[in-house]
Amino acid sequence: MGEQHQVQFPQEVVDEYAALGVDLPALFSAGHLGTRMGVQILEASADRVVGTMPVEGNTQPYGLLHGGASAVLAETLGSVGSMLHGGSSKIAVGVDLNCTHHRGVRSGLVTGVATPVHRGRTTATYEIVITDEEDRRVCTARLTCLLRDADLAAAAQGGTAG
């Protein structure tokens, strides 16, 4: 869970943020909460964001993956996609999150894949499908983010997407 790895971003996105002096992997990380929960972002573009989270340490009293943990993974991935869609002049702020939990998971790693449903000038909506290690759907989530104009340098110092 403590492994560090580099998120793969499209080169043009890396170049855009580097020109502004922004550490892109830090800006689009899972943040402090995601770090505590073991969220790892594996792939990130406006078209698709993929991340994983361990079940261990993120369970409710019955030993199942906590629904709130699935919500954290979903909001993290959808927020990263929304920020990448908005570009360097916007920040994404989650305004609506809906999660439907389909099955319980007791161990292993879950994987979330966020894909866009709507990408506009002021909002972005992503569907996030979370699956277990046997590729069975655990949760389906939908996140809508407001895209606000922002000073990216201040945003980079103050936190991450979500």
Side-chain angles (χ1 to χ4, degrees):
M1 188 162 86
E3 289 181 30
Q4 297 289 341
H5 81 282
Q6 194 72 11
V7 178
Q8 297 300 312
F9 292 100
Q11 189 59 48
E12 63 272 10
V13 174
V14 172
D15 294 343
E16 176 184 357
Y17 285 85
L20 297 170
V22 174
D23 179 358
L24 188 65
L27 181 63
F28 292 104
S29 74
H32 296 294
L33 177 60
T35 299
R36 279 196 304 272
M37 297 182 72
V39 172
Q40 295 282 323
I41 300 173
L42 307 177
E43 173 187 332
S45 73
D47 293 323
R48 176 180 158 95
V49 182
V50 179
T52 61
M53 181 180 66
V55 173
E56 182 179 343
N58 294 314
T59 58
Q60 38 88 311
Y62 297 116
L64 299 170
L65 178 64
H66 195 290
S70 293
V72 167
L73 178 59
E75 184 151 356
T76 299
L77 300 178
S79 292
V80 168
S82 295
M83 285 191 74
L84 288 169
H85 162 66
S88 61
S89 65
K90 302 282 187 179
I91 62 168
V93 180
V95 294
D96 182 61
L97 176 64
N98 174 279
C99 299
T100 300
H101 307 287
H102 304 293
R103 73 172 46 246
V105 181
R106 292 188 180 278
S107 64
L109 201 63
V110 291
T111 300
V113 178
T115 54
V117 174
H118 166 77
R119 291 185 292 186
R121 288 181 292 123
T122 59
T123 63
T125 300
Y126 279 74
E127 177 183 61
I128 304 93
V129 174
I130 300 174
T131 57
D132 65 13
E133 291 180 319
E134 295 178 28
D135 204 32
R136 296 178 299 188
R137 191 176 292 226
V138 172
C139 176
T140 303
R142 185 191 68 247
L143 174 70
T144 298
C145 287
L146 175 66
L147 301 174
R148 296 179 52 181
D149 291 332
D151 174 5
L152 192 61
Q157 291 189 6
T160 63

